Amino acid sequence: MLIFIMRRAATMVLTMIVVSLLLFLALEINKDAVAIKVLGPYSTDEQRAIWLENNGYNDPLPVRYGRWLGNFVVGDFGESTRFKTEVSEILWPRLANTGILAAATFAVVIPLSLLLGVLAGMREGSRLDRSISVASIVTTSIPEFASAPLLAAIFVFYLGWLPGTSGMSDGFSVVQLILPVMVLVLYDFGYVARMTRASMADVMTTDYIRTAILKGLPYRTVITRHALRNALIAPFTVIMLQVNWLLSGVIVVEYFFAYKGFGALLLEASLNNDIYMIEACAMVAVFVAVATQTLADIGYTYLNPRIRFS
Amino acid sequence: MARKVLRDETGKRIHPYVPELCEQLRKGDCGRREFLRTATLLGVTAPVAYAMAGNILGEDSQAVPRAKAETPKPGGTLRSSMRVQRMDDPATYDWEEMSNQTRHILEYLTRTGSDNVTRPYLLESWEASDDLTTWTLKTREGIKWSNGDDLGADDVVANFERWIDPQTGSSNVGLFGGLAETVGDGKSLREGAVEKVDEHTVILNLSSPELAIPENLYNYPTAIVHRRFDEEGGDLSKNPVGTGPYSLAEFQVGERCKLVRRDGYWGDAPYLDEILYIDHGDDPIASISALASGQVDHVHEVDIQSIDLVENIPNAMLHEAVTAQTGVARMRVTEKPFDDLRVRQAIVACMDHAQLLDIAYRGRGSVGENHHVSPIHPEYFRLPAVKPDIERARSLLAEAGYKDGLRVKIDLGAADSWHLAVMQGFKEQLAPAGITLDLNLMPGATYWEVWDKTPFGFTSWTHRPLGVMVLNLAYKTGVPWNESSYANPDFDAALADASGTLDVTERRAKMEKVQAILQEDAVIAQPLWRAVFSATTDKVKGYAIHPTNYHQFQTVWLDS
């Protein structure tokens, strides 16, 4: 098990190094563009030359990359050209905000979709199954850029029940979380529920479940002791993948509700060519992607003994 | 021979042109607005100017008619939805939002109101010499900086010096060209151009006559910073010393900017305790959602597509200003194929201005005429109307060697949705002449990185009270914001001549040449002049939208 985890961790580090190299080459190979970005378009050539010299940009490329990577490892990402402050001062609070949004979404999506998925999959083809399936297909097929304005039109402009933006400018507010979470849940729960349903339905047709039922075990025991654990492997992977989606894929929701999260930050950094911020955001996103993948792999081995230590 | 000096009842000198101006108003040669503008520019105080106009025209002479039924209530926080941008060096601001963030911390020597009339502000008065080349600026006594220092001539001189200094990189160089001299390939302050006379008096010695000095002093990058601004770090957000009624309490780019009222302000105390700017990102709907759900009291700008939405929100009020704000499809005259005048003329000849105004801006504005002087500018000269002429465009193209058609690409920013709409319309208008226009839509901020470099780009320009101001900023040879690299000595000379002419009718006549040269040289295809909109809730009182969307919240109060 230890070797397995170490091997996974090594792959993770290697992936991140490759990505960091690509990122560095894409954004920093043209040092003059970096200087213009940092000092502004009205800076003089002389000012740029001094800045490049002082910040070590005249060193050979491998030296620059090594130093850059070293700074990254210790959390020194440089100063944001857009926000005029240390990247880390903006990045971590934004990441925490997205974490809050993701946690709130998960807190609703996971119980809801697992429950509905299991209920539907237990009796494939039943009326309950069909209702759940249709509902989840419909909600999943409405993209966030359509459901966000629709929900805002209803709850903000028509009913006037909920706040229209979620900037939390006066401190944390649960009410302001409702609309973004609603949009995310609406889009996401159907997907996870359908995966759970398919997996559950598969398991319910296996021989060992039939045997368990035939040998007279109570239906409840068959479901909770025998079916669930096997049926949850597929949804588990899907859920782990949702972590990535919630981190950088919620740009639309964060943008629409002016939520100060990681997705909106990534967008703003890209739109403003904020080099150091883009680099930091990209590395954080990659880290989360590979880390969740590694966790998912480890989780598998716990849930399914057949793939253990393979 | 020395002329007799005219004085008013208080003994103050009256500029010799003022009686002539009164005569023109009486005869109807100049309108009321132009009279007020020019009279105040020449040093007549606004109330006196309003009274003079009232006497001549037999109207009510009240300066700014205001409903006095309600008594302002002090206190409260005005929450405004606006992008929160950088706040380092005010002289390098390139967004009006930046100046709004600091407009209540730093102040200007003059102030142009929503009525387009400019009044002294940090100045007590100004005086122009008869030939308009010498301007005497007197600062008000008793104004204190928030750090306790007195405001005086040294501050004014220091600001002029840093505006002209190429190290600062300020666009103000374009407005105060008469103070600069060309050294090498840049400009620097001419020896003796800005002269301190005593602790409160500064004299500007211009190399050519200039009428718009007071108006230029309220252009948004001319906020007055402390004389030791550069020594103390040169970053306002880190060292917010100002003369204004508010001080900076919180500031984070992209998030919020909070101002709190400070004690010891020299002028009338404002009503609001706090002004809070909240950044809701680039999505125009987010600001309106915030207004609808009571999260903000004011929305800085409502785009043309959202005005119905605001009108349907109970308790919300839409404010509209007729302005000289515009957007221009400008061609860089040094780049192929736009270095060929015939190509530029062919492109411009295809534009149907009225149609673009209707489809892209719902008719809320007026048509452009490709010379960047608006009908609301006092010196506007009405040239023959421009009409689309596809046949002419075709023959010009053929002459220029593009018989089989021409393909050009225009860069434009996505931040303002009407830019895209207007260029999509233009694309269709160009097609019959054999010109294919490719639209290269880019993020707003990315466009501002290439706006003065791209061969063909669509740039928005804000309102300025005089037509010559923008022409001096954007089309005069070699100025920093000359995005088209246009250089025409005849145009420069005609513009300088018009900029230094006091007589309204004479100046208007001189503008004919200026406008005609720019139109004929086809540097810009200018579809329209647009109205701008902002919104408030109905509890915001004393608010009027400024044509430049400058925030003047000293008179605003909240009716809770």
Side-chain angles (χ1 to χ4, degrees):
Chain A
M1 185 70 180
L2 193 66
I3 296 171
F4 170 78
I5 293 178
M6 279 173 65
R7 203 186 296 155
R8 282 279 153 208
T11 319
M12 191 173 134
V13 170
L14 191 67
T15 314
M16 291 190 63
I17 288 180
V18 171
V19 173
S20 74
L21 195 60
L22 290 175
L23 205 57
F24 179 79
L25 290 178
L27 292 172
E28 300 223 9
I29 198 155
N30 181 356
K31 60 184 183 183
D32 294 323
V34 178
I36 292 172
K37 197 58 228 170
V38 171
L39 298 176
Y42 302 114
S43 54
T44 59
D45 289 342
E46 192 191 345
Q47 289 169 317
R48 289 173 200 165
I50 295 171
W51 185 87
L52 286 172
E53 183 58 39
N54 289 346
N55 288 277
Y57 273 86
N58 294 334
D59 295 337
L61 210 57
V63 177
R64 277 169 56 198
Y65 173 70
R67 188 169 43 225
W68 178 84
L69 196 64
N71 287 341
F72 251 80
V73 172
V74 297
D76 177 7
F77 303 122
E79 188 173 296
S80 156
T81 54
R82 165 75 180 162
F83 297 93
K84 305 277 170 199
T85 178
E86 290 293 316
V87 165
S88 50
E89 273 182 40
I90 304 288
L91 179 64
W92 300 126
R94 292 292 192 103
L95 200 60
N97 283 348
T98 293
I100 293 170
L101 186 61
T105 307
F106 268 168
V108 183
V109 163
I110 295 176
L112 183 73
S113 54
L114 289 186
L115 180 71
L116 293 178
V118 168
L119 283 177
M122 253 166 38
R123 294 189 208 283
E124 204 183 350
S126 65
R127 190 172 291 175
L128 182 67
D129 176 28
R130 279 191 225 143
S131 325
I132 293 174
S133 295
V134 169
S136 45
I137 289 177
V138 169
T139 54
T140 304
S141 42
I142 304 175
E144 302 106 303
F145 60 76
S147 57
L150 182 70
L151 291 177
I154 298 170
F155 291 102
V156 179
F157 287 92
Y158 182 65
L159 295 173
W161 288 352
L162 292 172
T165 58
S166 311
M168 316 271 175
S169 60
D170 294 317
F172 182 74
S173 148
V174 177
V175 188
Q176 291 188 17
L177 265 184
I178 296 176
L179 269 178
V181 168
M182 209 192 280
V183 171
L184 291 172
V185 167
L186 208 60
Y187 180 69
D188 202 31
F189 97 89
Y191 180 55
V192 182
R194 284 181 56 73
M195 291 309 244
T196 314
R197 176 199 167 274
S199 175
M200 187 72 187
D202 254 7
V203 170
M204 291 305 286
T205 58
T206 53
D207 293 343
Y208 70 90
I209 294 292
R210 203 176 49 184
T211 310
I213 294 170
L214 288 179
K215 80 177 180 188
L217 278 180
Y219 194 65
R220 177 188 290 264
T221 316
V222 174
I223 297 294
T224 52
R225 296 283 300 275
H226 298 274
L228 267 185
R229 188 164 166 188
N230 284 303
L232 287 184
I233 296 179
F236 177 74
T237 322
V238 172
I239 289 169
M240 290 312 274
L241 288 175
Q242 304 307 301
V243 176
N244 285 320
W245 170 71
L246 279 173
L247 190 70
S248 43
V250 297
I251 293 178
V252 173
V253 172
E254 293 190 346
Y255 178 74
F256 188 86
F257 293 108
Y259 188 81
K260 303 291 174 196
F262 181 77
L265 179 66
L266 190 56
L267 178 72
E268 190 155 357
S270 314
L271 293 183
N272 291 287
N273 243 331
D274 188 349
I275 295 174
Y276 300 134
M277 187 63 88
I278 296 173
E279 290 172 350
C281 288
M283 287 312 286
V284 166
V286 170
F287 173 77
V288 173
V290 291
T292 49
Q293 203 52 56
T294 309
L295 279 177
D297 287 349
I298 297 169
Y300 274 163
T301 60
Y302 171 74
L303 287 168
N304 187 349
R306 278 177 300 178
I307 49 171
R308 192 163 294 169
F309 308 131
S310 60
Chain B
M1 193 184 94
R3 281 207 267 175
K4 183 173 175 275
V5 177
L6 292 168
R7 294 187 188 280
D8 68 9
E9 311 90 82
T10 59
K12 191 171 177 289
R13 172 184 168 275
I14 291 179
H15 194 280
Y17 181 68
V18 172
E20 166 69 25
L21 195 63
C22 292
E23 193 50 38
Q24 288 194 3
L25 178 67
R26 191 168 291 121
K27 285 195 285 193
D29 288 346
C30 83
R32 181 173 183 273
R33 189 168 66 187
E34 174 57 12
F35 171 83
L36 292 171
R37 230 206 87 256
T38 314
T40 48
L41 279 181
L42 294 174
V44 178
T45 61
V48 173
Y50 269 99
M52 285 164 127
N55 271 336
I56 295 168
L57 301 172
E59 293 168 353
D60 179 12
S61 67
Q62 195 177 7
V64 185
R66 284 236 170 95
K68 286 280 175 199
E70 292 175 294
T71 315
K73 293 178 191 145
T77 300
L78 181 81
R79 297 158 304 164
S80 171
S81 175
M82 184 180 81
R83 294 306 319 255
V84 175
Q85 309 256 24
R86 69 180 167 90
M87 190 194 280
D88 38 17
D89 181 354
T92 64
Y93 284 171
D94 43 13
W95 283 85
E96 75 210 14
E97 284 88 340
M98 294 176 183
S99 72
N100 281 335
Q101 288 163 193
T102 49
R103 192 168 298 274
H104 299 90
I105 304 172
L106 297 176
E107 294 178 305
Y108 294 76
L109 292 178
T110 63
R111 184 164 133 146
T112 308
S114 342
D115 56 356
N116 241 6
V117 174
T118 302
R119 302 169 172 87
Y121 203 73
L122 289 177
L123 295 182
E124 182 186 80
S125 66
W126 63 70
E127 213 175 288
S129 66
D130 298 357
D131 63 356
L132 298 175
T133 56
T134 308
W135 287 77
T136 308
L137 312 179
K138 266 195 192 322
T139 59
R140 247 178 236 272
E141 291 187 29
I143 296 180
K144 284 213 184 289
W145 289 93
S146 54
N147 66 2
D149 292 346
D150 286 311
L151 174 111
D154 290 332
D155 296 292
V156 177
V157 172
N159 276 276
F160 274 103
E161 281 172 351
R162 63 189 308 279
W163 293 340
I164 308 291
D165 186 348
Q167 291 291 328
T168 311
S170 172
S171 62
N172 293 337
V173 177
L175 293 177
F176 302 104
L179 299 173
E181 62 184 352
T182 309
V183 177
D185 49 1
K187 301 237 181 225
S188 70
L189 191 66
R190 189 165 36 79
E191 186 75 30
V194 181
E195 206 183 313
K196 174 182 166 183
V197 178
D198 60 42
E199 284 310 310
H200 287 282
T201 312
V202 172
I203 290 183
L204 308 181
N205 294 304
L206 305 172
S207 52
S208 55
E210 175 60 64
L211 176 73
I213 290 293
E215 272 145 348
N216 289 343
L217 289 172
Y218 194 60
N219 189 45
Y220 67 80
T222 59
I224 298 297
V225 296
H226 190 273
R227 52 189 174 273
R228 289 193 306 275
F229 179 77
D230 287 309
E231 291 162 44
E232 291 174 358
D235 186 335
L236 189 72
S237 66
K238 300 200 168 90
N239 184 30
V241 176
T243 56
Y246 289 83
S247 57
L248 186 65
E250 283 174 48
F251 178 69
Q252 178 57 61
V253 176
E255 293 191 9
R256 59 200 257 127
C257 170
K258 186 172 171 181
L259 312 177
V260 295
R261 194 172 58 198
R262 70 178 178 92
D263 296 329
Y265 176 57
W266 62 272
D268 293 337
Y271 302 115
L272 301 165
D273 287 340
E274 293 178 350
I275 299 167
L276 175 63
Y277 290 108
I278 305 172
D279 188 315
H280 286 114
D282 276 331
D283 185 359
I285 304 292
S287 305
I288 296 166
S289 296
L291 185 77
S293 52
Q295 292 179 303
V296 294
D297 313 297
H298 171 252
V299 174
H300 169 67
E301 187 167 6
V302 176
D303 77 340
I304 185 74
Q305 262 125 28
S306 311
I307 54 178
D308 301 330
L309 197 55
V310 173
E311 278 168 345
N312 284 324
I313 300 173
N315 314 326
M317 294 170 77
L318 186 72
H319 304 265
E320 177 173 357
V322 176
T323 75
Q325 298 214 29
T326 185
V328 295
R330 102 287 179 285
M331 292 163 266
R332 220 167 145 73
V333 300
T334 49
E335 308 262 351
K336 277 200 173 317
F338 309 111
D339 54 346
D340 188 330
L341 174 64
R342 293 164 299 189
V343 170
R344 300 200 304 269
Q345 287 177 331
I347 289 173
V348 172
C350 296
M351 183 173 270
D352 183 342
H353 300 76
Q355 193 184 41
L356 292 179
L357 176 66
D358 268 351
I359 55 177
Y361 216 72
R362 301 169 68 176
R364 304 287 275 256
S366 57
V367 291
E369 295 164 41
N370 313 328
H371 53 56
H372 217 145
V373 181
S374 156
I376 68 169
H377 285 138
E379 70 270 47
Y380 168 82
F381 182 90
R382 185 168 295 283
L383 292 171
V386 276
K387 293 251 157 50
D389 189 345
I390 301 294
E391 280 317 307
R392 178 163 177 260
R394 272 181 199 282
S395 64
L396 282 164
L397 273 188
E399 270 175 49
Y402 297 98
K403 209 158 63 206
D404 303 324
L406 170 69
R407 191 176 196 110
V408 288
K409 184 186 78 174
I410 190 164
D411 289 334
L412 67 160
D416 294 294
S417 55
W418 72 272
H419 290 190
L420 180 60
V422 84
M423 282 300 106
Q424 278 168 333
F426 191 35
K427 180 187 170 79
E428 298 307 317
Q429 294 173 351
L430 285 166
I435 303 173
T436 311
L437 180 67
D438 295 321
L439 306 181
N440 183 27
L441 189 66
M442 45 175 75
T446 310
Y447 179 72
W448 287 113
E449 279 168 20
V450 299
W451 76 282
D452 55 351
K453 296 175 199 72
T454 176
F456 195 17
F458 192 82
T459 305
S460 60
W461 280 88
T462 192
H463 166 98
R464 287 183 174 80
L466 291 184
V468 290
M469 286 172 77
V470 184
L471 299 183
N472 277 310
L473 273 170
Y475 303 97
K476 194 158 73 177
T477 307
V479 289
W481 281 2
N482 186 333
E483 51 174 344
S484 51
S485 258
Y486 179 59
N488 181 345
D490 292 342
F491 173 81
D492 290 348
L495 176 61
D497 190 17
S499 304
T501 303
L502 187 53
D503 185 282
V504 186
T505 36
E506 211 180 304
R507 184 153 35 96
R508 197 176 294 128
K510 285 180 176 171
M511 285 305 284
E512 177 184 8
K513 188 175 172 195
V514 176
Q515 293 171 210
I517 295 176
L518 198 56
Q519 202 179 50
E520 181 60 23
D521 279 348
V523 182
I524 55 170
Q526 184 192 13
L528 54 92
W529 297 101
R530 65 191 188 105
V532 298
F533 307 89
S534 69
T536 59
T537 58
D538 58 4
K539 70 172 187 172
V540 177
K541 307 285 180 183
Y543 169 82
I545 182 174
H546 192 276
T548 329
N549 232 335
Y550 290 166
H551 295 178
Q552 298 175 338
F553 291 155
Q554 275 98 329
T555 52
V556 171
W557 55 281
L558 296 172
D559 192 9
S560 49

